[in-house]
Amino acid sequence: MTVSATDIVESEAGEGRREKSKAANRQAILTAARRVFSQLGYDGATVRDIIRGTELASGTFYNYFKSKEEVFEALADDGARRFRPVLRAARENATCFEDYIYTAVHAYFTFLAEEHQSGGHPLKDRGPHVRSSTPEMLAVYEEVRDGVAEAIAKGVAPKVDPDYLAAASIGVAQEAGEVMLRQTPPDIDAATRFVADFILGGVQKAASR
Amino acid sequence: MTVSATDIVESEAGEGRREKSKAANRQAILTAARRVFSQLGYDGATVRDIIRGTELASGTFYNYFKSKEEVFEALADDGARRFRPVLRAARENATCFEDYIYTAVHAYFTFLAEEHQSGGHPLKDRGPHVRSSTPEMLAVYEEVRDGVAEAIAKGVAPKVDPDYLAAASIGVAQEAGEVMLRQTPPDIDAATRFVADFILGGVQKAASR
DNA sequence: AAGAAAGTTGACGGGCCGTCACGGCTGCGC
DNA sequence: GCGCAGCCGTGACGGCCCGTCAACTTTCTT
């Protein structure tokens, strides 16, 4: 085994041309997919539309994703992957349950507004709404449920079924989030106040039975 | 103009063969679509799959619906059309705001459990969730918002933004509904208690700011 | 340098899409 | 009853998208 020029480049860059190309292609597909989904909607988009948005050939697409659904999930996963740590931090830094909910909700709406503004939100007004449940999004759900369960265990939150509570909180946040996004510009703070209060009042009353 | 045998049949039945056939075809398509959607999922289903589930030719489909999306919406519309009067009745018969919410939520979960059990629920575990916003479903949304707005106007409900409140209530009910449906059998009463209390507590706290 | 491995390409068979010219059936007037 | 006009079901058709694959190019290894 000799040390070649390529080896030097590799050790400097940390990866060979092959790896770089793979990463670049994958990214190109994801970027094109983001644009295509937001323009044509999930239903209207085709795999061909996506690869036409890149320099690649149709066959190449299938080296990276099995279907348009899988690309969509990769995009959703991406969002969830960025959002989860934020949620986790909110949990760890919270001084009380109220604080936790407020911070988490605020983080969600901020995230939502950013995604929406960057045009990357893969939703279209026409056609059925589409939501996916990727592993990573399930992880967000679990993060919410665990955060809630922990608060209950610590006694700082009322005792309620964590599954129902997590579902209810996510439902409120999602629907209210859509209402918020209809405004221009979105009033994140108002939405946060409403939703956080709603959840806090809800959990309290649901527990009081 | 003579009175023929056909005329008699027509006047007795209220419609001729033509009308009957049209209604029957439309119904056949809807029935097949319901089955196909629940088996293959919205994404997996094709217009061809649907017409293959009938005795009709492919072209005939397009005499009744423009696309698979339109059939889906017709099905959703159907559900909404049956649900709305129930909601309206809940509003009109309610003795107080608590009663209204409780009754409406209970009606929704009952409806959901029925739809689910009859296998007609066009949802599949695989693939992205899909929800549509047909005129009739928007009408349900408006029914909720108006019910809420009326309660606020009457002073029996706290003052909050009806849009946010309606969205929040629908979100809670939808998500909690899915949690409920994961149980076998679904515990409608428990779900109703949780969701109704959650909404009532939420609206109270959200208004108190 | 040269072979091996990995990745890219675009053409291909198969299937679905939405349309449309055709023909049978319905309803209407006589 | 009869015959015609129009409605509507039919299925074949051109066009597009799907996922695959054998041939080719690029990268890596020795």
Side-chain angles (χ1 to χ4, degrees):
Chain A
M1 174 84 135
T2 62
V3 173
S4 68
T6 343
D7 287 332
I8 293 171
V9 170
E10 274 181 35
S11 64
E12 281 175 355
E15 51 183 7
R17 293 170 198 228
R18 211 143 217 156
E19 308 264 326
K20 270 200 178 105
S21 156
K22 267 177 87 167
N25 285 350
R26 188 187 157 86
Q27 199 49 51
I29 291 174
L30 285 174
T31 303
R34 196 175 276 274
R35 189 175 56 244
V36 168
F37 280 139
S38 82
Q39 283 176 359
L40 268 39
Y42 178 77
D43 255 43
T46 73
V47 169
R48 251 63 178 184
D49 290 329
I50 297 172
I51 52 142
R52 254 182 241 123
T54 72
E55 308 272 307
L56 305 167
S58 65
T60 305
F61 175 90
Y62 295 95
N63 288 340
Y64 293 89
F65 301 97
K66 277 210 299 276
S67 62
K68 123 179 128 163
E69 181 185 327
E70 207 174 283
V71 201
F72 184 82
E73 291 190 351
L75 287 174
D77 237 51
D78 195 50
R81 188 165 287 118
R82 273 176 298 143
F83 181 56
R84 182 145 74 120
V86 178
L87 216 50
R88 173 67 62 116
R91 195 217 293 205
E92 284 167 356
N93 299 335
T95 57
C96 62
F97 188 63
E98 282 73 13
D99 185 41
Y100 167 53
I101 296 294
Y102 190 94
T103 310
V105 170
H106 191 268
Y108 174 67
F109 285 145
T110 304
F111 177 81
L112 206 61
E114 277 171 9
E115 291 279 298
H116 182 73
Q117 194 146 26
S118 78
H121 203 50
L123 272 182
K124 217 187 136 210
D125 284 334
R126 311 289 279 153
H129 274 203
V130 153
R131 264 179 216 153
S132 66
S133 331
T134 72
E136 198 59 34
M137 294 196 73
L138 288 179
V140 166
Y141 177 88
E142 278 167 20
E143 171 64 38
V144 170
R145 198 196 50 204
D146 292 351
V148 156
E150 183 187 302
I152 295 172
K154 275 192 194 161
V156 296
K159 274 192 191 172
V160 291
D161 181 332
D163 272 314
Y164 269 122
L165 179 51
S169 305
I170 288 171
V172 176
Q174 280 184 339
E175 293 297 320
E178 293 198 10
V179 172
M180 177 189 81
L181 290 181
R182 271 180 233 135
Q183 311 159 353
T184 45
D187 187 342
I188 295 179
D189 288 337
T192 300
R193 274 194 299 276
F194 178 87
V195 169
D197 284 348
F198 195 91
I199 292 173
L200 289 170
V203 64
Q204 192 179 347
K205 173 121 187 181
S208 70
R209 182 175 287 267
Chain B
M1 170 84 129
T2 62
V3 173
S4 69
T6 346
D7 286 333
I8 292 170
V9 170
E10 275 182 35
S11 64
E12 277 174 0
E15 50 184 6
R17 295 175 193 215
R18 219 151 206 145
E19 306 265 326
K20 268 197 179 109
S21 155
K22 267 177 88 165
N25 286 349
R26 188 187 157 89
Q27 199 49 52
I29 291 173
L30 286 174
T31 302
R34 197 175 275 274
R35 189 176 56 244
V36 168
F37 280 140
S38 82
Q39 282 176 359
L40 268 38
Y42 178 77
D43 255 43
T46 73
V47 170
R48 251 62 179 185
D49 290 328
I50 297 172
I51 51 140
R52 254 181 242 120
T54 72
E55 309 273 306
L56 304 168
S58 64
T60 306
F61 175 90
Y62 295 96
N63 287 341
Y64 292 89
F65 301 98
K66 277 211 299 275
S67 63
K68 118 178 132 163
E69 183 185 325
E70 206 173 284
V71 201
F72 184 83
E73 291 191 350
L75 287 175
D77 236 52
D78 195 50
R81 189 165 285 120
R82 274 176 298 142
F83 182 55
R84 183 146 74 122
V86 178
L87 214 52
R88 171 67 62 118
R91 194 217 292 207
E92 284 167 356
N93 298 335
T95 58
C96 62
F97 187 62
E98 282 74 12
D99 186 41
Y100 168 53
I101 295 294
Y102 190 93
T103 309
V105 170
H106 191 269
Y108 174 67
F109 285 146
T110 304
F111 178 81
L112 206 61
E114 278 170 11
E115 291 277 299
H116 182 72
Q117 194 146 27
S118 76
H121 203 50
L123 270 181
K124 216 188 136 210
D125 285 333
R126 312 288 279 154
H129 273 204
V130 91
R131 267 180 215 152
S132 64
S133 330
T134 71
E136 198 58 33
M137 295 196 71
L138 288 179
V140 167
Y141 177 89
E142 277 167 20
E143 171 63 38
V144 170
R145 200 197 47 204
D146 291 350
V148 157
E150 183 187 303
I152 295 173
K154 276 190 195 163
V156 296
K159 274 192 189 171
V160 292
D161 181 332
D163 273 316
Y164 268 123
L165 179 50
S169 305
I170 288 171
V172 175
Q174 279 184 339
E175 294 296 321
E178 293 197 9
V179 172
M180 178 189 79
L181 291 181
R182 270 180 232 137
Q183 310 159 351
T184 45
D187 187 343
I188 295 180
D189 289 336
T192 301
R193 276 194 298 276
F194 179 87
V195 170
D197 284 347
F198 195 92
I199 292 173
L200 290 170
V203 64
Q204 192 180 347
K205 173 120 185 181
S208 70
R209 182 174 286 268

